[in-house]
Amino acid sequence: MTSSTSPEPTGPLLVRVRAVMPALAPAEQRVANAVLADPGGVAAMTISELAEVASTSETTVIRFCKQIGVPGYPQLRLQLAAQSAQESARPEVGGEIEPGDSLADVVGKVAFADERAVRETAQQLDVDALAKVVAAVAKAPRVDLYGSAASSFVALDLQQKLHRIRRVAFAWSDVHVALTSAALLGEGDVAIGISHTGATVEVIEALEEAGKRGATTVALTNFPRSPLAQTADLVLTTAARETTYRSGAMSSRIAQLTVIDCLFIGVAQSVLPDARKALEETASAVRGHRVKGSVNDPQN
């Protein structure tokens, strides 16, 4: 059975604003864009000034506050001021990658963006929801993983990890194969749909089919109010930002893998000592394919 309402966005204020952006009304999106463009400046504005900047009404500004879980405009200003102070205290080496940037600048900006994606994803991740997913996967007879394009590689990564601790898991990127596999799931099985936008039709369809068959459904997405999230029983969210040269296919992957690693370790902990024995056996199976005498040779 799927949840009737999407989970509320969590984590730092600006992370919540980006998370709900696609679900906002156009006028509310203009307020969100003003907040994201200049958090410190908005913190110093009256509600009338912000409404004018966003070409909207004070009522819309109040609605925007409610959408991101803030009681009212005074609280929004306080939270913006606090977060702006925190950001100003952190060395800023990021920003948009420009055509004229040196390769050294590119390396610095990419590293900063990846570090920020991991940090902000960890800050807003719902640990209670993660614990429920861990418990469901640990006891599931079978786990289906659905993802398209870049998200398909994340699904494959989780499949490989789960297989190494004797969890039966299959990653499907072809919609026909995903749907036929989902149709064979049942009570106790788990289906996980992975999509940065939460709007990938193929992934949504497969997760819906799995839910109809009684499987526990999980969405991994950047947007907690997305169609995929509304389809799922449990929702795990990332906090990846897109930039000119770093589309969702790049920035989302790092954030998704962070959540996948947390999920895998949680499952491995719950099935110890079997997981430890399985990891040792699988490591031993491939040991002969490492160059003897190298630093990676376990005998060294």
Side-chain angles (χ1 to χ4, degrees), residues 199-256:
T200 305
V201 173
E202 293 85 352
V203 177
I204 295 169
E205 288 179 345
L207 205 65
E208 287 178 337
E209 182 65 31
K212 292 177 185 177
R213 304 295 174 168
T216 298
T217 55
V218 181
L220 174 55
T221 177
N222 208 69
F223 302 102
R225 297 180 184 176
S226 63
L228 181 65
Q230 293 172 2
T231 299
D233 298 315
L234 298 166
V235 180
L236 302 176
T237 52
T238 56
R241 308 188 195 188
E242 296 182 10
T243 64
T244 303
Y245 286 91
R246 291 175 60 80
S247 67
M250 294 177 65
S251 60
S252 66
R253 188 181 68 251
I254 300 298
Q256 288 172 344

Side-chain angles (χ1 to χ4, degrees), residues 14-298:
L14 299 183
V15 172
R16 301 202 305 268
V17 173
R18 286 190 293 271
V20 303
M21 178 79 85
L24 297 177
E28 294 168 349
Q29 288 185 351
R30 292 197 298 273
V31 178
N33 283 324
V35 169
L36 293 173
D38 187 10
V42 171
M45 292 180 184
T46 65
I47 189 171
S48 299
E49 289 171 337
L50 177 55
E52 183 177 354
V53 167
S55 301
T56 188
S57 66
E58 295 180 15
T59 302
T60 298
V61 174
I62 296 299
R63 282 203 305 268
F64 166 77
C65 293
K66 302 293 186 183
Q67 290 277 25
I68 60 173
V70 178
Y73 189 65
Q75 292 84 354
L76 176 67
R77 292 180 65 185
L78 287 172
Q79 291 189 34
L80 283 174
Q83 188 157 347
S84 295
Q86 292 175 356
E87 291 296 325
S88 62
R90 184 185 297 273
E92 178 66 49
V93 296
E96 291 282 342
I97 297 175
E98 304 294 340
D101 281 348
S102 68
L103 195 54
D105 289 336
V106 171
V107 171
K109 289 182 177 182
V110 168
F112 178 85
D114 286 350
E115 182 273 334
R116 182 174 59 189
V118 171
R119 169 168 44 86
E120 292 185 346
T121 292
Q123 287 174 336
Q124 60 79 56
L125 185 61
D126 186 338
V127 179
D128 289 337
L130 178 62
K132 292 177 182 178
V133 178
V134 166
V137 171
K139 64 182 181 182
R142 172 173 156 179
V143 179
D144 259 17
L145 306 162
Y146 314 126
S148 296
S151 294
S152 68
F153 298 112
V154 177
L156 284 168
D157 182 74
L158 180 55
Q159 175 194 312
Q160 187 268 343
K161 283 180 167 67
L162 291 175
H163 267 303
R164 286 201 63 187
I165 56 172
R166 294 195 178 94
R167 301 298 101 185
V168 178
F170 301 93
W172 310 113
S173 58
D174 180 276
V175 63
H176 293 275
V177 180
L179 285 170
T180 53
S181 181
L184 298 177
L185 297 181
E187 295 285 344
D189 292 325
V190 174
I192 302 177
I194 306 173
S195 169
H196 171 71
T197 63
T200 305
V201 173
E202 293 85 352
V203 177
I204 295 169
E205 288 179 345
L207 205 65
E208 287 178 337
E209 182 65 31
K212 292 177 185 177
R213 304 295 174 168
T216 298
T217 55
V218 181
L220 174 55
T221 177
N222 208 69
F223 302 102
R225 297 180 184 176
S226 63
L228 181 65
Q230 293 172 2
T231 299
D233 298 315
L234 298 166
V235 180
L236 302 176
T237 52
T238 56
R241 308 188 195 188
E242 296 182 10
T243 64
T244 303
Y245 286 91
R246 291 175 60 80
S247 67
M250 294 177 65
S251 60
S252 66
R253 188 181 68 251
I254 300 298
Q256 288 172 344
L257 288 172
T258 298
V259 178
I260 290 303
D261 284 348
C262 293
L263 171 58
F264 166 71
I265 292 172
V267 173
Q269 287 178 326
S270 67
V271 296
L272 287 175
D274 183 60
R276 183 179 289 113
K277 185 173 185 293
L279 288 170
E280 291 172 353
E281 290 174 344
T282 53
S284 176
V286 298
R287 191 166 295 151
H289 289 266
R290 295 198 178 104
V291 177
K292 294 188 182 300
S294 69
V295 293
N296 293 318
D297 188 344

